């Protein structure tokens, strides 16, 4: 029996990336800035919705700059999802602000608009809202956007995991006042590492580029009126991004096949549910996830360990931020009693969703999981 390692989600390169990297080398545009950076920004902006982009060193940097552009500062309050990767909310602390965490809804696992409304009642002074589209599944974006508009508070949409997903026909990352994308190693496309800030306001994007290159004033000497950051994407990295963009739709399509295959393979096992999404949305299916009903004798950890024994990588659901030691003492707001995200974390698992998985790989994974339920 083959025991080749199966990954959760690893980079998939196509060779075309090298063309742009070689161009960068041939023209000695290896430093930050250069034609690949400008073109990658234009290509991504055109793909998602025709606004403007600033190419940055990471998605985390993009969230940090979005908070600065939104005017968030010391001792301000920012609402963020509890169930997410820590990078969604850590930049709130970078700017000296304080996160208040919001529970997930059952239909998307993302920020619950009902809980968000409750949070506004409790903290009317809130300065910004960050919501994420986890695992590529769009949040209830219209509702979240409308609530933020009603309260006149900027909405930062963390689309780090959802590039290529749509909600009511529009690309995710375009619903917020600011959208952010990530090209980290395991995302739907990767540049080895990198991020993008998206905004309809070109002046904001120009300002982001300014902050990301040490806030250097347009003088002959080095003149600084504001604190800057070294957050710009390099021209070599942007070359990888340009090559990857050509394969984004193909990646999404294979990810969807993987999700549908799992869904079909487990349809007769009542205790297993796939991660849900709204019928008005089309996820990019970045990671296929399941939850196992509380009554089942099989726990998510049993599956993780059974897969691990066979050299197959799976991963727990993001552990909620309000349960993280580093965020101890932060407020957490749900729609009712108890917090749904704790249940999803307890009962959930991310399944291997690598687009290089072969027919045999998928069969191997499914057989291991099914064997636990007989
Ligand atoms: C990956 C990720 C980020 C951060 O992106 P980096 O490019 O790794 O800094 C932010 N939010 C979410 C939800 C992510 O998955």
């Amino acid at each position: 029996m083959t025991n080749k390692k199966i990954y959760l989600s690893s980079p998939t390169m196509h060779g075309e990336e090298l063309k742009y990297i070689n161009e960068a080398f041939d023209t000695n545009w290896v430093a930050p800035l250069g034609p690949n950076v400008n073109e990658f920004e234009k290509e991504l902006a055109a793909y998602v919705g025709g606004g403007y982009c600033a190419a940055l060193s990471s998605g985390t940097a993009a969230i940090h700059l979005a908070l600065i552009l939104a005017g968030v500062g010391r001792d301000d309050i920012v609402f963020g999802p509890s169930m997410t990767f820590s990078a969604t909310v850590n930049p709130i602390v970078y700017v000296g602000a304080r996160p208040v965490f919001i529970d997930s809804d059952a239909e998307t696992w993302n920020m619950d608009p009902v809980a968000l409304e409750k949070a506004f009642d409790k903290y009317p002074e809130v300065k910004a809202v960050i919501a994420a589209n986890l695992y590529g599944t769009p949040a209830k974006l219209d509702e979240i956007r409308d609530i933020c508009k009603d309260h006149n508070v900027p909405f930062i949409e963390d689309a780090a995991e959802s590039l290529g997903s749509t909600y009511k026909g529009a690309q995710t990352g375009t619903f917020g006042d600011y959208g952010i994308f990530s090209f980290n190693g395991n995302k739907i496309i990767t540049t080895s590492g990198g991020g993008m800030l998206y905004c309809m306001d070109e002046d904001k994007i120009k300002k982001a580029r300014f902050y990301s290159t040490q806030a250097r004033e347009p003088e002959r000497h080095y003149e600084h009126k504001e604190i800057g950051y070294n957050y710009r994407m390099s021209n070599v990295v942007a070359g990888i991004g340009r090559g990857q963009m050509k394969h984004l739709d193909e990646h999404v399509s294979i990810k969807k096949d993987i999700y549908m295959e799992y869904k079909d393979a487990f349809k007769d096992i009542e205790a297993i549910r796939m991660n849900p999404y709204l019928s008005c949305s089309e996820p990019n299916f970045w990671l296929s996830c399941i939850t196992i009903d509380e009554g089942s004798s099989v726990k998510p950890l049993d599956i993780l360990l059974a897969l691990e024994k066979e050299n197959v990588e799976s991963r727990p659901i993001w552990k909620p931020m309000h349960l993280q030691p580093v965020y101890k003492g932060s407020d957490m707001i749900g729609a009712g009693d108890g917090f749904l995200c704790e249940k999803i974390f307890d009962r959930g698992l991310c399944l291997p969703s690598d687009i290089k998985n072969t027919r045999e790989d998928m069969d191997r994974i499914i057989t291991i999981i099914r064997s636990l339920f007989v």
Side-chain angles (χ1 to χ4, degrees), residues 58-60 63 84-85 87-88 132 134 158 160-161 180 182-184 187 194 318:
S58 71
T60 312
I63 298 173
T84 189
F85 181 42
T88 303
L134 287 190
D158 177 354
E161 300 178 2
I180 81 98
S182 166
F183 314 110
N184 207 346
K187 301 283 155 76
W318 298 124

Side-chain angles (χ1 to χ4, degrees), residues 168-358:
K168 297 185 181 172
Q171 287 284 325
T172 59
T174 64
F175 287 82
D177 298 279
Y178 305 92
I180 81 98
F181 299 99
S182 166
F183 314 110
N184 207 346
N186 64 4
K187 301 283 155 76
I188 190 95
I189 61 168
T190 180
T191 60
S192 73
M196 199 73 90
L197 179 68
Y198 176 85
C199 187
M200 286 308 287
D201 181 345
E202 190 178 11
D203 288 339
K204 296 278 193 201
I205 290 299
K206 282 185 176 152
K207 197 82 204 233
R209 292 183 190 131
F210 165 80
Y211 284 132
S212 73
T213 49
Q214 307 285 22
R216 189 182 166 192
E217 297 292 334
E219 300 280 353
R220 194 180 298 279
H221 59 271
Y222 281 81
E223 179 81 6
H224 301 282
K225 295 177 183 162
E226 289 178 88
I227 293 295
Y229 302 86
N230 183 3
Y231 276 173
R232 199 71 163 123
M233 182 182 281
S234 93
N235 198 49
V236 174
V237 162
I240 307 176
R242 291 184 72 192
Q244 287 270 291
M245 272 307 280
K246 297 195 185 319
H247 297 274
L248 172 56
D249 290 341
E250 172 193 328
H251 288 197
V252 172
S253 152
I254 303 170
K255 291 277 192 186
K256 182 174 183 172
D257 290 346
I258 292 171
Y259 179 96
M260 292 305 164
E261 184 155 359
Y262 282 131
K263 189 181 159 112
D264 189 57
F266 304 137
K267 66 174 185 290
D268 61 324
I269 304 175
E270 242 171 78
I272 299 185
R273 292 164 208 277
M274 298 300 295
N275 54 320
Y277 60 94
L278 299 174
S279 57
C280 67
S281 73
E282 184 64 28
N284 69 4
F285 300 97
W286 173 56
L287 292 186
S288 289
C289 308
I290 53 171
T291 50
I292 301 168
D293 289 355
E294 222 151 340
S296 174
S297 59
V298 181
K299 306 283 175 261
L301 185 63
D302 301 328
I303 298 180
L304 184 141
L305 293 174
L307 290 170
E308 193 174 79
K309 230 176 83 200
E310 299 294 331
N311 213 15
V312 179
E313 190 184 16
S314 64
R315 193 204 271 163
I317 299 292
W318 298 124
K319 180 177 173 179
M321 290 301 125
H322 74 280
L323 302 177
Q324 298 286 358
V326 73
Y327 284 115
K328 203 169 147 231
S330 298
D331 201 2
M332 167 70 182
I333 297 179
D337 298 333
F339 299 122
L340 181 72
C341 64
E342 294 180 1
K343 290 212 173 77
I344 301 170
F345 171 60
D346 272 350
R347 310 298 318 165
L349 189 70
C350 304
L351 298 180
S353 308
D354 199 298
I355 60 175
K356 291 177 297 313
N357 281 354
T358 60

Side-chain angles (χ1 to χ4, degrees), residues 29-69:
W29 278 111
V30 172
L33 306 190
N36 282 337
V37 172
N38 302 335
E39 289 308 309
F40 187 31
E41 287 178 344
K42 278 191 208 146
E43 285 162 11
L44 193 97
Y47 182 90
V48 297
Y52 300 90
C53 279
L56 302 169
S57 52
S58 71
T60 312
I63 298 173
H64 187 186
L65 293 186
L67 285 166
I68 292 170
L69 291 166

Side-chain angles (χ1 to χ4, degrees), residues 88-130:
T88 303
V89 292
N90 284 343
I92 298 170
V93 179
Y94 300 171
V95 298
R98 202 151 52 88
V100 167
F101 297 117
I102 313 287
D103 199 7
S104 303
D105 71 58
E107 289 101 347
T108 71
W109 291 7
N110 292 307
M111 183 179 274
D112 182 351
V114 178
L116 177 61
E117 205 46 284
K118 270 181 69 181
F120 269 105
D121 292 341
K122 186 163 177 187
Y123 298 99
E125 73 277 26
V126 62
K127 284 287 163 51
V129 174
I130 308 176

